């Protein structure tokens, strides 16, 4: 019997029995009235973890990012971001629909905008120009393969933006993967930005929810905008309980996911027909290319015969995402599937 190893996304994780227990016993109230004790406990915990002033629990990472943009720009402003990022490509055009800003897209190596690119994209003050009011950075970078944004570059960006009164938002959907892989505490990343978002619903294993963190003023505004967008929830302490459990139990173990990703990458590197998109993975995402062919979908189908599920993201490449529902045996099963497929390919 082959077990199903589902590597399509780290959003697929299901709450464990222990997590379901804390959900069941959570103390709750109406969070729109600001009366849910478990939500408040979670938000305070995140404030302590990041060193920022205030935090807001929201239904999704998309909402966290979009609130950050909406609260730190005016209609018609420019927002600088990389052209492969989540905000630009996977948020259903919300940046235009909700904030009515101009996304200024930069092509960035490994997904990482540099301080030099920021400086060269700030235009002089002139009535012809839309002012650049926000820079969005993604850490880890999903489509670049879970790469970790170098802290020194982030600090350099912080410096050049602060001099020009430009705000910085970090889309940190997988910031804990970055933190664990690089050994950088969240407080260091938080120091490089005005707002930070991250997800509980990915590698941390909670069923629903994301966080937006920032100054008390920005988060106060975000709270009103969250209501406007229909994201004001009531007894959401049930979800916050899962998020608290995730912070307490599922952060350090992200290193296991990173090890599984490196093991798969090493196996891919040994094959004849497949290759890695870039170097060894830094975190939990592996991109595999099919050499000399556009057969990614066909390879995905073959992998499914071995019980391994993954998505193609382009005709010649497949993305594998490791997460807490994948154990050592299942990671080994994935390696064997790749090795066997390479033999018969
Ligand atoms: C998953 C993800 C998000 C948020 O996604 P939701 O599905 O809206 O929670 C944001 N940014 C990145 C980089 C992501 O991978």
């Amino acid at each position: 019997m082959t077990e199903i190893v589902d590597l399509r996304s780290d959003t697929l994780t299901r709450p464990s029995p222990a997590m379901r227990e804390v959900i069941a016993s959570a103390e709750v109230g109406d969070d729109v009235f600001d009366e849910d004790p478990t939500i408040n406990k979670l938000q305070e915990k995140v404030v302590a973890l990041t060193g920022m002033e205030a935090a807001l629990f929201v239904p999704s990472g998309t909402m966290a990012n979009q609130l950050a943009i909406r609260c730190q720009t005016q209609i018609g402003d420019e927002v600088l971001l990389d052209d492969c990022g989540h905000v630009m490509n996977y948020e259903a055009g919300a940046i235009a629909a909700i904030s009515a800003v101009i996304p200024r897209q930069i092509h960035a190596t490994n997904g990482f905008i540099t301080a030099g690119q920021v400086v060269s994209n700030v235009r002089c003050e002139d009535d012809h120009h839309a002012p650049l009011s926000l820079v969005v950075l993604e850490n880890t970078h999903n489509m670049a393969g879970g790469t970790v944004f170098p802290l020194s570059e982030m600090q350099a960006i912080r410096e050049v933006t602060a001099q020009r009164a430009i705000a910085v938002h970090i889309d940190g959907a997988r910031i804990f993967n970055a933190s664990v892989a690089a050994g950088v505490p969240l407080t260091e990343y938080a120091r490089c930005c005005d707002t930070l978002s991250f997800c509980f619903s990915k590698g941390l294993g909670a069923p629903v929810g994301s966080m937006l963190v920032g100054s008390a003023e920005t988060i106060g505004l975000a709270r009103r905008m969250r209501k406007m967008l229909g994201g004001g929830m009531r007894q959401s302490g049930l979800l916050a309980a899962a998020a608290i459990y995730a912070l307490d139990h599922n952060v350090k173990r992200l290193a296991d996911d990173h090890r599984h990703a490196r093991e798969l990458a090493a196996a891919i590197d040994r094959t004849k027909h497949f290759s890695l998109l870039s170097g060894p993975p830094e975190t939990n995402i592996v991109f595999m290319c099919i050499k000399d062919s556009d057969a990614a979908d066909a390879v995905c189908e073959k992998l499914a015969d071995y019980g391994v599920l993954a998505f193609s993201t382009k005709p010649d490449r497949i993305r594998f995402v490791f997460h807490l529902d994948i154990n050592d045996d299942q990671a080994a099963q994935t390696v064997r599937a790749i090795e066997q497929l390479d033999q018969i390919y």
Side-chain angles (χ1 to χ4, degrees):
M1 246 304 275
T2 46
E3 250 191 285
I4 298 296
V5 185
D6 201 339
L7 303 175
R8 290 172 302 164
S9 175
D10 47 5
T11 56
L12 292 159
T13 54
R14 294 189 179 93
S16 64
M19 185 180 276
R20 284 170 188 264
E21 253 173 58
V22 300
I23 293 172
S25 60
E27 238 189 286
V28 296
D30 189 328
D31 180 52
V32 174
F33 290 6
D34 216 355
E35 288 177 5
D36 189 301
T38 310
I39 284 283
N40 291 338
K41 186 176 160 194
L42 171 65
Q43 290 174 171
E44 281 158 26
K45 200 174 165 75
V46 170
V47 162
L49 202 61
T50 56
M52 295 182 106
E53 278 179 8
L56 185 70
F57 185 72
V58 294
S60 68
T62 298
M63 189 181 281
N65 287 338
Q66 295 303 326
L67 288 174
I69 296 166
R70 182 68 180 76
C71 294
Q72 296 180 100
T73 57
Q74 301 291 324
I75 286 179
D77 284 357
E78 275 188 353
V79 172
L80 192 74
L81 34 67
D82 86 271
D83 62 357
C84 296
H86 197 277
V87 166
M88 195 57 230
N89 297 286
Y90 305 106
E91 301 193 0
I95 185 168
I98 294 172
S99 297
V101 291
I102 305 174
R104 193 170 177 81
Q105 303 178 56
I106 305 285
H107 188 67
T109 311
N110 278 332
F112 301 139
I113 295 171
T114 64
Q117 284 178 312
V118 173
V119 171
S120 62
N121 279 282
V122 179
R123 295 187 288 174
C124 62
E125 250 180 67
D126 181 314
D127 285 348
H128 291 84
H129 298 158
L132 173 63
S133 52
L134 179 68
V135 174
V136 176
L137 311 174
E138 188 172 312
N139 187 24
T140 64
H141 199 287
N142 180 0
M143 281 301 143
T147 43
V148 178
F149 209 119
L151 181 63
S152 57
E153 195 61 39
M154 248 185 199
Q155 289 165 335
I157 290 172
R158 183 54 167 170
E159 214 172 297
V160 300
T161 51
Q163 289 158 359
R164 293 164 176 81
I166 298 166
V168 175
H169 171 65
I170 299 177
D171 174 358
R174 298 187 180 83
I175 196 84
F176 286 97
N177 293 86
S179 174
V180 166
V184 173
L186 250 54
T187 47
E188 289 293 316
Y189 289 128
R191 256 200 276 277
C192 298
C193 63
D194 297 278
T195 49
L196 165 70
S197 62
F198 63 83
C199 295
F200 295 110
S201 54
K202 294 191 169 157
L204 295 187
V208 180
S210 289
M211 217 65 180
L212 180 65
V213 206
S215 70
E217 191 188 343
T218 303
I219 295 303
L221 181 56
R223 196 178 157 85
R224 184 158 66 80
M225 293 296 166
R226 180 184 69 171
K227 192 77 183 85
M228 185 191 283
L229 294 175
M233 297 179 285
R234 302 297 178 172
Q235 285 74 38
S236 42
L238 297 178
L239 301 175
I244 291 169
Y245 181 91
L247 289 176
D248 289 343
H249 297 90
N250 294 343
V251 173
K252 277 202 193 116
R253 63 146 309 283
L254 291 170
D256 297 338
D257 302 339
H258 302 170
R259 174 170 51 82
H260 291 153
R262 286 195 302 271
E263 287 165 3
L264 174 62
I268 291 169
D269 213 25
R270 289 191 298 266
T271 62
K272 276 201 295 289
H273 301 100
F274 311 126
S275 63
L276 292 170
L277 178 62
S278 44
E282 292 178 77
T283 59
N284 64 326
I285 300 175
V286 180
F287 276 96
M288 181 177 90
C289 296
I290 323 296
K291 285 184 192 166
D292 312 318
S293 149
D294 280 353
D297 283 329
V299 171
C300 283
E301 276 176 36
K302 292 238 176 62
L303 277 171
D305 294 340
Y306 293 98
V308 176
L309 305 185
F311 276 141
S312 65
T313 57
K314 287 200 176 162
D316 71 335
R317 74 186 60 156
I318 298 172
R319 187 186 74 156
F320 301 90
V321 188
F322 288 89
H323 53 77
L324 91 167
D325 286 354
I326 304 298
N327 60 28
D328 288 354
D329 288 344
Q330 292 168 313
Q333 182 181 331
T334 309
V335 165
R336 280 196 305 278
I338 290 294
E339 289 168 349
Q340 287 170 15
L341 204 53
D342 188 48
Q343 294 299 316
I344 62 161
Y345 193 74

